[in-house]
Amino acid sequence: MPDAINSMVWILTTLAIAVIFDRAVLWFIPRIVSARAIAAIRRRAGGVNRLVFHGLNTPMNCRTPLSTADALMTLCPYDVSVTPLRLGVTIPDDTYWSICCYGSNADNIFAMNDRQLPQRTGSNVFFALHTEGFPVEKSDNEISIPLKSACGILLIRTGVPDPHDQQTLAKLESNQRLACVASQ
Amino acid sequence: MNMSSLQSLIYSLLTASVLVFVLNVYRTLRLISPSAKGVIRSGSWTARTTDGSERMTMHQRAVVACTGLWAMNSNEAVYFTALHDSNGKRLSCKETYHIKGMDFPARWWSITAYRNYQLIPNAEERYSFSATNIVREADGSWCLTLSPQHWSGNWIPLGNAPGQLVISLRLYNPAANAVEEIANRPLPEIVIVPSEQTGVLNVSTELPTGGIR
């Protein structure tokens, strides 16, 4: 009888360890993968709440699995736990453009494309990133982005009609490089 | 703790690790099965409508982080992936494939080739074609060639190294009825080109002047 009890205790202990281990692994994997990628971008940007223009992904500059090869990227590791982050961007004409925020668990917690903007393309648009419930003094012409996650990464994507059309590429690049942190 | 308790704990940990491994292999197989919730399957192409979104399960979130970090949610983009050709044979960077199709129900789309999930280095610096730079026939159809050998027209070079070819089709701003449209008009087939035909410039679509290299 004591052997049966011991076996049952062992099985229950093993199952409990398996459940805890499983939950922990699945919780940590996206956060670790995301944190490592954000840390690399933060080093390039020189800190948080700074934009870094990445341009087009190539095999030489990007080891992210299944990375897009037809969109210019601007990245910004954000931390809005203390104060909102204000960004100014210029929206290109006639091409797909989007701004996306990803939380610390890599979830896409905010996405907006050029067709969803209240302003017309070709104009300067201002965004204020802040945590949900944070009282933000909103100025005119500013789009509020309430975030569930105080830390994460912001990605601005501009679709490139043809990566080999140097003239258009240069125009889109210079346009995207105009993106800047307005204030914190 | 005596020796037998320690031994029992070690066995417990090992067994728990094996259980977790087996469970997650099973979950991954379920995640890519056509009957899984949120999976769209059309021929060789598979997409999950919950990728990138907050509706992902813990397991799916971990898989997406490892295989396609920072995916956009399905309102913004749908990512179709193909690992097999239309005959169900695993895609290989050593082979030549044709994909013939028309526009997709989305504002913009692109098709990208990867070797083992990474962009493929090539002298042409060509990794993808999109709705805006693919060369079309008069009726709007197009033919895309993925090959390690040189082809004219819409050619994505696969380089010289062997490996698993992965093809990604991205639909940016998919139409609200994209899923129904894809069900009615399936996504293009991925057809392997017999080896005796490879290396021959037989793609009917020619290079535009001053356009694509």
Side-chain angles (χ1 to χ4, degrees):
Chain A
M1 197 64 182
D3 273 357
I5 292 170
N6 281 346
S7 298
M8 191 57 76
V9 169
W10 186 86
I11 289 167
L12 290 174
T13 308
T14 304
L15 285 175
I17 291 170
V19 169
I20 293 166
F21 185 43
D22 180 55
R23 297 287 99 179
V25 165
L26 295 182
W27 193 87
F28 276 112
I29 285 176
R31 284 163 178 82
I32 291 171
V33 172
S34 185
R36 283 186 59 186
I38 291 173
I41 296 159
R42 203 170 54 223
R43 279 195 296 276
R44 271 180 70 187
V48 291
N49 297 340
R50 289 180 183 199
L51 289 159
V52 55
F53 176 76
H54 177 74
L56 283 171
N57 285 326
T58 68
M60 281 65 72
N61 71 10
C62 184
R63 301 298 296 166
T64 305
L66 297 181
S67 53
T68 178
D70 36 51
L72 291 173
M73 298 275 193
T74 293
L75 308 111
C76 177
Y78 67 79
D79 179 352
V80 292
S81 53
V82 179
T83 170
L85 171 66
R86 291 190 150 86
L87 295 173
V89 297
T90 305
I91 314 299
D93 296 306
D94 303 327
T95 191
Y96 173 83
W97 178 96
S98 69
I99 184 167
C100 291
C101 296
Y102 298 84
S104 52
N105 64 351
D107 275 3
N108 184 194
I109 53 177
F110 177 86
M112 184 179 264
N113 64 62
D114 54 309
R115 289 188 177 172
Q116 295 168 323
L117 292 168
Q119 287 88 348
R120 290 160 64 96
T121 55
S123 61
N124 293 319
V125 180
F126 294 90
F127 293 92
L129 281 74
H130 57 88
T131 49
E132 278 182 345
F134 192 93
V136 182
E137 206 175 297
K138 227 181 111 199
S139 60
D140 292 342
N141 206 26
E142 189 175 68
I143 296 165
S144 164
I145 303 180
L147 299 169
K148 286 179 182 167
S149 176
C151 300
I153 186 110
L154 175 141
L155 258 70
I156 298 173
R157 294 176 172 93
T158 300
V160 177
D162 182 357
H164 288 114
D165 176 355
Q166 295 301 326
Q167 202 177 346
T168 308
L169 185 63
K171 192 180 160 195
L172 290 171
E173 276 187 5
S174 65
N175 195 73
Q176 191 151 330
R177 281 178 192 277
L178 292 175
C180 62
V181 173
S183 69
Q184 283 180 52
Chain B
M1 190 180 277
N2 62 30
M3 205 58 194
S4 77
S5 299
L6 186 65
Q7 204 173 26
S8 173
L9 183 64
I10 290 168
Y11 284 140
S12 242
L13 288 171
L14 286 173
T15 311
S17 304
V18 171
L19 277 175
V20 169
F21 177 77
V22 171
L23 180 66
N24 282 297
V25 168
Y26 169 72
R27 280 177 180 150
T28 306
L29 291 174
R30 260 190 53 191
L31 193 65
I32 56 174
S33 83
S35 58
K37 200 179 163 190
V39 168
I40 313 170
R41 187 141 193 194
S42 178
S44 308
W45 305 90
T46 308
R48 289 187 301 266
T49 54
T50 47
D51 273 8
S53 78
E54 294 172 79
R55 291 176 289 141
M56 286 188 289
T57 61
M58 283 178 83
H59 173 260
Q60 189 181 351
R61 186 171 287 115
V63 170
V64 170
C66 295
T67 58
L69 185 65
W70 300 329
M72 291 190 276
N73 68 51
S74 60
N75 293 333
E76 204 51 48
V78 175
Y79 303 87
F80 282 93
T81 307
L83 299 170
H84 300 91
D85 68 15
S86 294
N87 293 323
K89 197 176 160 205
R90 211 166 170 77
L91 296 172
S92 162
C93 285
K94 287 288 207 188
E95 303 286 354
T96 296
Y97 301 93
H98 280 333
I99 305 174
K100 293 180 182 179
M102 299 283 282
D103 270 333
F104 302 103
R107 175 182 170 191
W108 195 53
W109 56 263
S110 70
I111 295 178
T112 313
Y114 302 89
R115 185 196 300 129
N116 303 330
Y117 294 86
Q118 301 288 333
L119 291 170
I120 304 169
N122 65 80
E124 311 287 320
E125 296 181 349
R126 166 75 63 201
Y127 317 108
S128 69
F129 274 95
S130 72
T132 35
N133 68 352
I134 201 154
V135 183
R136 297 163 193 269
E137 300 288 352
D139 63 355
S141 66
W142 44 263
C143 177
L144 176 63
T145 306
L146 300 99
S147 175
Q149 281 102 37
H150 190 279
W151 283 71
S152 67
N154 304 310
W155 168 52
I156 300 181
L158 300 183
N160 298 317
Q164 159 81 60
L165 171 64
V166 181
I167 309 172
S168 176
L169 164 64
R170 291 175 167 83
L171 306 184
Y172 293 93
N173 284 172
N177 61 345
V179 175
E180 292 81 43
E181 273 204 42
I182 288 165
N184 294 332
R185 200 186 68 193
L187 295 174
E189 291 193 337
I190 302 168
V191 181
I192 191 164
V193 179
S195 54
E196 59 268 22
Q197 284 182 33
T198 56
V200 182
L201 304 180
N202 60 352
V203 179
S204 58
T205 310
E206 290 303 322
L207 286 169
T209 50
I212 303 154
R213 291 196 296 169

